[in-house]
Amino acid sequence: MDIDKKIVADFVNNDIKLVTTVPCKQLAGVIDEIDACKDIYHIPSNKEDEGIGICAGAFMGGKRSAIIMQNTAIGVTVNTLVTLTQFYRMPLPMLISYRGELKEPVACQVEMAVHTKALLNQLHIPTYHFHQQSDAEELDTILKYTFMCNKPVAILTDATFWGGYGDQ
């Protein structure tokens, strides 16, 4: 099964009814699958913290949700993650493209990559790093975990997971 379809199937199998997304080239395929899925309501967001707020609203309305975003905006989300998601014990799967590693073609992406895992660790957010598409076999278990323990969970997917940066 295509990796984008597998991710969406795992979301559907875990009763995720709403997904908010912030545009990202690496995540474009999974975003397209979310958009086409009849079982998931897709709300594009302008900013990551706005998307987390949308997910919080879905949670308060009794719906499971997830956010799809880049790691470069983790810093923008810290206050929302702590004072909303964590304080109110909201489960939130965060599928995050992990930009800024080896062969990254955009220099400014590197700086946030240096801080991403440390910030998530400081916030006590369980973090899983997918390097190969076979790592996605754990996604279903990770989703069950986040809804069982009512915690946000970060799933970092690097360029290798998505097939690299091209001919760089």
Side-chain angles (χ1 to χ4, degrees):
M1 176 185 291
D2 166 279
I3 194 63
D4 302 320
K5 290 181 185 342
K6 192 246 184 284
I7 289 168
V8 173
D10 282 349
F11 281 5
V12 170
N13 289 338
N14 281 276
D15 203 28
I16 293 173
K17 297 294 186 191
L18 180 144
V19 174
T20 185
T21 62
V22 181
C24 172
K25 186 176 180 180
Q26 286 183 356
L27 298 166
V30 75
I31 292 170
D32 288 345
E33 287 296 323
I34 292 286
D35 203 38
C37 181
K38 293 178 175 132
D39 296 317
I40 296 175
Y41 188 72
H42 177 211
I43 301 178
S45 293
N46 293 319
K47 294 175 42 189
E48 289 76 1
D49 55 341
E50 173 186 290
I52 292 171
I54 290 168
C55 290
F59 172 77
M60 290 177 191
K63 304 265 187 245
R64 288 183 172 186
S65 62
I67 186 167
I68 296 176
M69 59 188 258
Q70 281 190 33
N71 68 310
T72 51
I74 287 292
V76 174
T77 66
V78 170
N79 185 54
T80 308
L81 285 168
V82 172
T83 62
L84 182 63
T85 309
Q86 290 182 313
F87 183 78
Y88 290 102
R89 298 191 43 82
M90 297 179 184
L92 180 63
M94 298 181 289
L95 182 66
I96 303 170
S97 64
Y98 188 58
R99 300 288 308 265
E101 291 197 303
L102 297 175
K103 298 184 180 180
E104 170 64 56
V106 181
C108 67
Q109 302 281 24
V110 175
E111 288 306 314
M112 199 60 212
V114 172
H115 301 287
T116 297
K117 289 181 180 178
L119 280 170
L120 292 166
N121 185 51
Q122 184 66 36
L123 297 174
H124 304 289
I125 294 176
T127 303
Y128 304 89
H129 192 150
F130 290 2
H131 299 283
Q132 294 142 9
Q133 291 191 355
S134 61
D135 294 337
E137 292 304 316
E138 291 186 307
L139 182 59
D140 181 66
T141 304
I142 293 166
L143 294 173
K144 285 175 178 29
Y145 173 79
T146 191
F147 293 114
M148 179 272 304
C149 66
N150 289 330
K151 294 183 71 60
V153 171
I155 302 117
L156 303 177
T157 57
D158 61 27
T160 305
F161 178 83
W162 295 111
Y165 288 113
D167 297 325
Q168 315 271 314

